[in-house]
Amino acid sequence: MTSIEEAPLAADRPVSGLADELVDHRFKALPPDAEGLTVGALAAERRNLFTGGFTTPVLALSAESVEHNLALLETYAERHGLAFAPHGKTSMSPQLFARQLEHGAWGITAAVPHQARVYRAYGIRRIFLANELVDAAALRWLAGELDSDPEFRFICYVDSVRGVELMDEALRAAGASRAVDVVVELGAGEGARTGVRTEAECAAVAEAVAATGTLRLVGVAGYEGEVPDASGERVRDWVRRLVALAVDFDRAGRFAAADGEIVISAGGSAWFDAVADVFAEIPELSAPVLKLLRSGAYVSHDDGHYRHLTPFNRVPEEGVLQPAFRLWAQVVSRPTAEQAFLNAGKRDAAYDLDLPEAQVVRSGRDGAVRPAAGVSVSGLSDQHAWVRTEPGAELEVGDWVGMGLSHPCTSFDKWQLIPLVTADGTVTDYIRTFF
């Protein structure tokens, strides 16, 4: 394990400084009587999520599950000889980035310039931007970051000759003194998302890069999650295309300017086992290969989309991720024997892939916790969850319902400060997000 002192994290704005932020009306669910305390002071009180004055709805992250998931991917990457730059768009939390770096991450992946700016504000020294960057203002900012910090490593996609031209123009206008490292993005197939569709077009993009003085080709990359009608076989076939592209580029001397290594990157949260299998077959190239995964959802996992898709379902001997989210809401109406309403809705819960899953009920009378038998969420309004109750289901106004969520990326983004909670309900920290 890499220590935080050794990890690629600078002290420009220490993560510890987040503890100095004041608790106030900006942060949902925090105890009203904590107004004016710092986040660190509130964490030091180690309040109980259920009896410590928190208001509902409140999103909680399991401290034990987060630690388990961090350790599991670290072990997986080590076992398979992989580096990983988890996608930071999932949590946008500098505290979790620091934990990921402590657990061996090479750096953090971003999708858009704003995310990269957050990363840099908290000292991330290695950023992989999984997109083509053609915004002149963002490239001007990037040139300044690279020029001011020799230790800063930045890599981004290129997937068109026009994109290369725009990058070159903006970087020359900015007076950039360091070349920007780029990787050619191979598209996952016709009808997929971004990326160059054919190997011949990839070569044309690589030639365009070579003709600039502002860009440097260091590898190839792509996203296997966009392979049409994805299956293990189809994904492996596409990853082999990606590796073959790297081999061809290397033989042609296209990576001659690379900084001591060739980057080959893929690996979302659904197919990283297939990526690991093919990456294990990469032949010896003219320089060492950085085999870079970018899976991000693992840090919290979920109770829906990724519970079904995680590669650990296919390789259970490698471990099991644990869902870390639980959204607690209160029953505020029980108009009929078949229906109830909770005070959490679309503003609080992910709903783009699946509805929340009612898991447990905490009695509003005595705090006893029981399974949410016969209780299910049937819909969401902005601030209400519609709950269907089967005959005999125990549920009354004042009860708390704990729900599992589907899709981490649209769970984190609804909360600026998330209690980190141990199994006994003790809040040990607060996870700050920047969306």
Side-chain angles (χ1 to χ4, degrees):
M1 181 186 300
T2 305
S3 73
I4 192 66
E5 288 78 15
E6 297 169 336
L9 183 72
D12 304 329
R13 185 177 299 176
V15 170
S16 59
L18 292 169
D20 298 329
E21 194 162 15
L22 290 179
V23 173
D24 58 25
H25 62 277
R26 292 171 296 162
F27 305 119
K28 296 192 290 186
L30 299 192
D33 66 355
E35 179 93 13
L37 292 177
T38 65
V39 172
L42 180 58
E45 292 184 357
R46 299 179 69 83
R47 296 196 188 194
N48 185 278
L49 186 70
F50 307 105
T51 61
F54 292 85
T55 63
T56 56
V58 57
L59 181 66
L61 267 176
S62 163
E64 293 89 352
S65 294
V66 167
E67 178 58 32
H68 169 86
N69 295 342
L70 289 167
L72 181 58
L73 196 67
E74 178 184 25
T75 301
Y76 182 88
E78 289 176 348
R79 185 181 301 125
H80 292 277
L82 303 168
F84 65 105
H87 211 314
K89 71 176 175 62
T90 299
S91 71
M92 286 305 296
S93 169
Q95 291 150 287
L96 292 179
F97 299 161
R99 297 280 299 280
Q100 289 170 314
L101 294 168
E102 284 182 308
H103 282 275
W106 171 90
I108 306 294
T109 294
V112 293
H114 160 71
Q115 293 166 359
R117 289 184 63 203
V118 172
Y119 301 0
R120 288 298 291 164
Y122 287 91
I124 303 299
R125 286 202 173 122
R126 294 181 188 146
I127 296 174
F128 186 102
L129 195 141
N131 239 333
E132 188 167 60
L133 182 59
V134 295
D135 183 316
L139 286 161
R140 189 162 54 246
W141 167 83
L142 173 62
E145 290 293 302
L146 288 167
D147 289 350
S148 64
D149 183 0
E151 300 299 317
F152 177 34
R153 179 85 191 275
F154 178 89
I155 303 171
C156 73
Y157 285 173
V158 286
D159 85 340
S160 64
V161 171
R162 178 57 178 156
V164 169
E165 292 171 350
L166 289 170
M167 294 183 73
D168 181 48
E169 289 172 9
L171 291 167
R172 283 189 288 106
S177 63
R178 286 180 62 190
V180 172
D181 289 347
V182 296
V183 290
V184 172
E185 182 194 5
L186 177 67
E190 290 303 320
R193 205 164 61 187
T194 56
V196 186
R197 293 316 198 233
T198 69
E199 281 74 2
E201 291 171 305
C202 286
V205 173
E207 288 170 6
V209 170
T212 74
T214 57
L215 304 177
R216 180 170 64 171
L217 186 65
V218 299
V220 298
Y223 176 48
E224 76 290 341
E226 285 290 315
V227 169
D229 301 317
S231 65
E233 181 180 359
R234 288 191 177 97
V235 168
R236 286 176 177 83
D237 286 345
W238 176 83
V239 180
R240 290 189 181 100
R241 275 188 67 199
L242 183 69
V243 170
L245 179 65
V247 171
D248 288 346
F249 277 10
D250 188 47
R251 287 173 179 164
R254 297 191 187 277
F255 301 137
D259 212 11
E261 63 187 5
I262 295 167
V263 179
I264 305 180
S265 179
S269 294
W271 293 103
F272 58 74
D273 59 328
V275 172
D277 289 347
V278 178
F279 277 11
E281 304 168 358
I282 294 175
E284 185 174 346
L285 301 182
S286 63
V289 176
L290 181 72
K291 305 172 184 179
L292 193 64
L293 292 184
R294 305 190 307 273
S295 315
Y298 79 97
V299 68
S300 66
H301 198 44
D302 73 3
D303 278 297
H305 185 68
Y306 288 107
R307 178 178 63 192
H308 301 304
L309 292 183
T310 175
F312 288 112
N313 291 339
R314 296 185 289 272
V315 287
E317 67 277 7
E318 302 245 32
V320 178
L321 290 169
Q322 298 176 0
F325 276 126
R326 181 162 281 174
L327 176 64
W328 289 94
Q330 208 162 10
V331 180
V332 293
S333 180
R334 188 78 158 101
T336 72
E338 296 81 29
Q339 196 173 41
F341 291 88
L342 312 179
N343 63 345
K346 294 178 180 178
R347 303 294 173 86
D348 313 297
Y351 61 92
D352 55 317
L353 297 179
D354 303 286
L355 290 171
E357 176 184 84
Q359 296 176 330
V360 296
V361 175
R362 188 178 190 276
S363 171
R365 295 179 183 272
D366 59 14
V369 178
R370 61 183 184 274
V375 178
S376 60
V377 176
S378 59
L380 293 177
S381 299
D382 284 350
Q383 304 290 178
H384 290 91
W386 295 59
V387 173
R388 183 179 297 116
T389 56
E390 297 176 4
E394 297 180 58
L395 198 65
E396 65 177 356
V397 171
D399 287 348
W400 289 38
V401 178
M403 294 172 283
L405 301 177
S406 178
H407 199 186
C409 298
T410 50
S411 297
F412 277 106
D413 69 0
K414 292 172 173 57
W415 296 82
Q416 294 185 69
L417 205 58
I418 305 171
L420 188 69
V421 185
T422 59
D424 66 359
T426 302
V427 179
T428 60
D429 201 358
Y430 296 84
I431 302 300
R432 185 70 158 94
T433 67
F434 292 89
F435 284 95

